[in-house]
Amino acid sequence: MCGIVGYIGQRAADSVLLDGLKRLEYRGYDSAGVALLDPDYSSDIQIVRRTGRVANLSDALKPGTNKSRMGISHTRWATHGDVTEVNAHPHSSSDGRFAMVHNGVIENHTSMRRFLESKGFVFKSQTDTEALVNLIAYHYDKETVQEPEKRFYEAVRKSLFHVEGTYGIAVVCKDCPDTLIGARRGSPLIVGVGKGEHLLASDVNAIASRTTNVIYLNDGEIALLNKDNFAISTTSDEGVEAVIHTVDWDTTDAELGNFSHFMEKEIFEQPQALQNGMRGRFADDGSTAMFGGLNLSPSELRLIDRIVFIGCGTAWHAGLVAEYLIERFARIPVEVEYASEFRYRNAPLDKNTLVVAMSQSGETIDTLAALREAKRKGYKTLAINNSVGSSIAREADGGIYQHAGPEIGVASTKAFTSQVMLAAMLALYLGRIRDLSYSDGAAMVEAFKSLPDLVSRTLTCAESIRKIAAKYSQYNDFLFLGRQEMFPIALEGALKLKEISYIHAEGYPAAEMKHGPIALICEECPSVFLATNGEIFQKTLANIQEIKARKGKVICILTENCDMPDDLVDDSVIVPEAHEAIQPILMSIPVQLLSYYIALERGCDVDKPRNLAKSVTVE
Ligand code: M6R
């Protein structure tokens, strides 16, 4: 989603800002822009905006030719107004004195705009952002304080009081070429603390190559930055003691290396991502997992009699797998809710309910709002999250970091398998403080330890999946079918294919097929079956036969040792057979690869699929 980078320091601001914007490209955007300030006060704020890629902006800007040492920049993902240069950020006030970039949605922008127009302000764009930057100019004119920096700060602060909605903003003022202001409510914003320079960004990734010292702003905080110092306060003008965190971020993690796409890289780095997620998380007795950050004692957890997982998209699918695994191994009833529904549904929850927010980015607005709603009602909350310091991680009562490394590809892959693994480890932990036996626990621990190797073995099927993808890439409808824990993997397979190949795909529990979807079966609609060995295999086989009887093509992802009749399926991929706690992870790998290779065959932009953003920070 939209990205923000701001800079004040001693280097060429245009180069720093463009570099930051390039590092945010993965979030998804449709236009980009920069505002630069002249250090000598001699000219107006220079604003350059372009639709399309950051490369277009770079061509227009010719980095290195500008002497500015401070500026703000943005990648926009349209919410209010079309994708045009005029609607791209930064936006300036009608007197040209202020420029601002903004993430979030100003819900009362129409009334703000009407008020400002009545005062003579002229609007150029259709955006909500332009209302706020003009409101800042309005308050600046009214401000009685004369000292420009204080006046600038007061104008921003007073304007934010009138905002209904969410914002992460970076603002500059022509009268203050030594001051950069940022503020947040509901949209992430961090301050990068460097030597003789400060940065603002919506995402650590944008600035990690410059500094690893960051301050995570909280909602309702304003950062006032100069080259050499900073001050954080609240919108009520109370000083805030800022905590500087050191982020553990290897910038090479966010580079492609020898891979063609981030999605490909992230699929193939799953063995390592999973290994990192389980490191140090098994108890010495070899029969259970342990987590440092739950902030709930075993006796408190024993009182929990219901768990609700909240999440969106792929994270919601990981929650569905968690439901099967926690109910099976810990015998605690689990429900899984779309965060966007949960936040407004006012669901009755029992008093001993634990709410677990699942989110890779930790910034998905619906998940964050649902988490806040659960906390407001007094429930205990946890987060399973891949972004250290993210809003969800900070606001949950406790949590489990995934340590899967940055996920850049819009289609979630390694974050999904890592969420499933951690949910399975949580099932083990909760089971062992209840009725799961030592030997069952020890068998699970052994299974987790073998997981990275099993994932590596599964990845060797890539070449055969590439061939299957070539054969099926021209079909426009797919069904993904699986039973029990394989049902969420079927949903995930359908989502992956949809989002990066633009192919219509649906996931169903295999037996549900007879209740409607079977009407779709024909030679033009292949089905991808996820079949594991065990008690349910014969049932899955019967479902496959129903499809074959209707001339449907079947691609089957199945575990070794499954007794699949010769020639029943058209194509198959064999996955190692493993403990049921980790089998869903192994079965996910072929569906990820299948969608990746089909998207390549169709010439799609795999890492930046149309209309999608990596982190959905607006409702
Ligand atoms: O960052 P989150 O895990 O909260 O993101 C949730 C969804 O937006 C995300 O999983 C989305 O569905 C992915 N594009 C799926 O690949």
Side-chain angles (χ1 to χ4, degrees):
M1 195 130 283
C2 306
I4 290 176
V5 192
Y7 178 75
I8 184 161
Q10 306 162 57
R11 301 171 209 245
D14 52 4
S15 305
V16 176
L17 295 174
L18 281 170
D19 178 63
L21 290 184
K22 283 191 194 124
R23 292 174 191 274
L24 291 183
E25 280 192 293
Y26 74 97
R27 292 172 64 109
Y29 68 103
D30 43 50
S31 50
V34 164
L36 297 165
L37 259 85
D38 187 329
D40 308 324
Y41 295 73
S42 54
S43 54
D44 291 339
I45 298 173
Q46 186 198 352
I47 295 184
V48 182
R49 300 177 291 190
R50 289 292 181 271
T51 55
R53 297 290 188 219
V54 172
N56 300 350
L57 179 69
S58 181
D59 290 346
L61 207 54
K62 303 198 176 33
T65 56
N66 193 296
K67 58 183 177 171
S68 172
R69 298 290 180 262
M70 136 149 168
I72 53 176
S73 62
H74 192 257
T75 46
R76 173 177 187 250
W77 192 81
T79 53
H80 289 74
D82 303 336
V83 181
T84 60
E85 219 163 278
V86 170
N87 285 335
H89 297 215
H91 289 282
S92 55
S93 53
S94 54
D95 59 2
R97 208 193 287 245
F98 294 90
M100 186 175 95
V101 293
H102 164 225
N103 288 352
V105 176
I106 297 168
E107 286 161 9
N108 59 335
H109 73 104
T110 313
S111 55
M112 235 182 230
R113 189 180 181 120
R114 246 185 255 123
F115 167 77
L116 290 162
E117 278 170 344
S118 76
K119 300 285 175 199
F121 285 79
V122 178
F123 283 75
K124 298 168 282 250
S125 77
Q126 301 164 297
T127 65
D128 52 341
T129 305
E130 202 183 353
L132 181 56
V133 71
N134 274 315
L135 192 68
I136 292 171
Y138 169 77
H139 280 288
Y140 190 78
D141 286 341
K142 280 204 339 182
E143 189 53 57
T144 49
V145 177
Q146 286 309 307
E147 198 266 303
E149 185 177 88
K150 182 76 180 151
R151 193 171 164 197
F152 175 23
Y153 166 78
E154 282 299 323
V156 173
R157 192 178 76 76
K158 288 175 182 160
S159 302
L160 293 178
F161 256 92
H162 298 276
V163 174
E164 286 167 24
T166 54
Y167 57 79
I169 55 168
V171 203
V172 290
C173 171
K174 183 173 181 282
D175 300 344
C176 305
D178 300 321
T179 311
L180 172 61
I181 291 184
R184 78 159 269 177
R185 184 170 80 200
S187 270
L189 197 69
I190 57 170
V191 176
V193 181
K195 283 207 179 76
E197 60 182 8
H198 286 105
L199 298 109
L200 280 174
S202 50
D203 183 327
V204 171
N205 199 30
I207 60 171
S209 62
R210 313 249 157 225
T211 178
T212 48
N213 296 326
V214 303
I215 299 164
Y216 297 100
L217 292 185
N218 292 309
D219 278 353
E221 288 182 353
I222 305 179
L224 190 145
L225 311 177
N226 307 121
K227 174 165 73 69
D228 295 310
N229 42 51
F230 66 84
I232 315 288
S233 58
T234 65
T235 40
S236 315
D237 201 25
E238 286 151 10
V240 172
E241 189 94 19
V243 181
I244 301 179
H245 298 263
T246 305
V247 290
D248 175 20
W249 191 277
D250 180 353
T251 45
T252 56
D253 283 352
E255 284 159 16
L256 265 181
N258 293 328
F259 292 95
S260 311
H261 299 93
F262 282 106
M263 183 177 177
E264 181 192 24
K265 177 177 184 245
E266 287 153 10
I267 290 173
F268 281 92
E269 65 194 14
Q270 286 176 105
Q272 193 56 50
L274 294 165
Q275 185 77 65
N276 292 345
M278 70 175 85
R279 184 165 294 127
R281 284 178 164 162
F282 295 114
D284 287 344
D285 80 342
S287 78
T288 190
M290 54 185 199
F291 301 100
L294 295 184
N295 298 334
L296 287 168
S297 65
S299 49
E300 285 171 306
L301 282 166
R302 279 184 65 82
L303 295 177
I304 298 295
D305 50 27
R306 186 163 170 244
I307 301 178
V308 176
F309 277 84
I310 48 175
C312 303
T314 287
W316 182 75
H317 296 157
L320 289 177
V321 184
E323 177 180 14
Y324 283 97
L325 299 180
I326 292 175
E327 290 192 346
R328 177 170 307 177
F329 297 113
R331 309 297 303 158
I332 303 172
V334 175
E335 280 168 44
V336 191
E337 293 248 14
Y338 283 115
S340 53
E341 291 296 312
F342 179 87
R343 64 182 288 194
Y344 292 118
R345 206 163 70 82
N346 201 18
L349 300 180
D350 301 333
K351 70 174 185 318
N352 293 328
T353 300
L354 174 70
V355 175
V356 184
M358 194 80 105
S359 174
Q360 186 283 130
S361 63
E363 300 294 351
T364 300
I365 195 76
D366 282 322
T367 312
L368 180 59
L371 173 74
R372 286 179 178 160
E373 176 66 4
K375 280 188 74 175
R376 191 190 61 74
K377 289 179 170 169
Y379 294 103
K380 295 195 168 65
T381 58
L382 291 180
I384 297 182
N385 168 246
N386 195 32
S387 305
V388 175
S390 63
S391 303
I392 289 173
R394 285 181 300 140
E395 293 195 24
D397 298 322
I400 304 173
Y401 276 125
Q402 296 179 231
H403 300 305
E407 189 179 69
I408 307 292
V410 164
S412 187
T413 52
K414 65 175 180 174
F416 173 71
T417 50
S418 128
Q419 283 166 348
V420 171
M421 180 189 77
L422 291 167
M425 287 172 62
L426 184 63
L428 165 63
Y429 177 70
L430 295 172
R432 287 287 292 131
I433 58 177
R434 286 178 166 74
D435 302 324
L436 194 72
S437 71
Y438 176 88
S439 56
D440 287 346
M444 280 177 82
V445 170
E446 282 313 305
F448 289 122
K449 288 185 176 166
S450 69
L451 180 60
D453 281 345
L454 289 172
V455 171
S456 298
R457 258 178 66 198
T458 310
L459 283 165
T460 60
C461 65
E463 212 30 60
S464 64
I465 296 179
R466 189 197 289 269
K467 290 189 186 120
I468 296 173
K471 190 168 155 191
Y472 290 90
S473 64
Q474 294 318 312
Y475 289 85
N476 291 317
D477 296 284
F478 277 78
L479 283 181
F480 284 74
L481 301 161
R483 302 176 76 121
Q484 303 288 296
E485 292 96 319
M486 295 307 129
F487 161 51
I489 309 303
L491 289 175
E492 176 61 6
L495 178 68
K496 286 289 86 95
L497 192 62
K498 259 187 275 221
E499 67 180 333
I500 60 166
S501 319
Y502 319 137
I503 292 173
H504 168 241
E506 292 187 51
Y508 275 99
E512 268 297 301
M513 200 185 58
K514 295 190 279 301
H515 302 282
I518 200 163
L520 296 172
I521 301 300
C522 63
E523 281 183 85
E524 282 74 46
C525 177
S527 300
V528 180
F529 265 89
L530 293 143
T532 51
N533 210 2
E535 55 192 20
I536 214 82
F537 178 68
Q538 289 306 322
K539 310 268 179 205
T540 308
L541 213 52
N543 296 137
I544 295 176
Q545 271 149 347
E546 283 158 2
I547 294 215
K548 290 310 297 174
R550 286 158 185 86
K551 300 204 176 347
K553 297 204 162 40
V554 172
I555 303 165
C556 191
I557 298 165
L558 72 165
T559 51
E560 57 201 7
N561 305 327
C562 277
D563 190 13
M564 179 63 73
D566 288 346
D567 300 332
L568 179 61
V569 300
D570 297 273
D571 291 279
S572 56
V573 180
I574 312 284
V575 170
E577 191 165 326
H579 192 287
E580 51 206 348
I582 61 166
Q583 194 71 66
I585 297 175
L586 301 181
M587 297 295 276
S588 306
I589 312 287
V591 296
Q592 295 171 348
L593 287 166
L594 185 66
S595 53
Y596 173 68
Y597 289 128
I598 288 182
L600 284 192
E601 287 286 332
R602 291 169 77 103
C604 297
D605 189 347
V606 175
D607 284 335
K608 299 187 201 83
R610 71 182 179 209
N611 306 339
L612 280 170
K614 181 65 185 162
S615 168
V616 183
T617 52
V618 291
E619 236 188 301

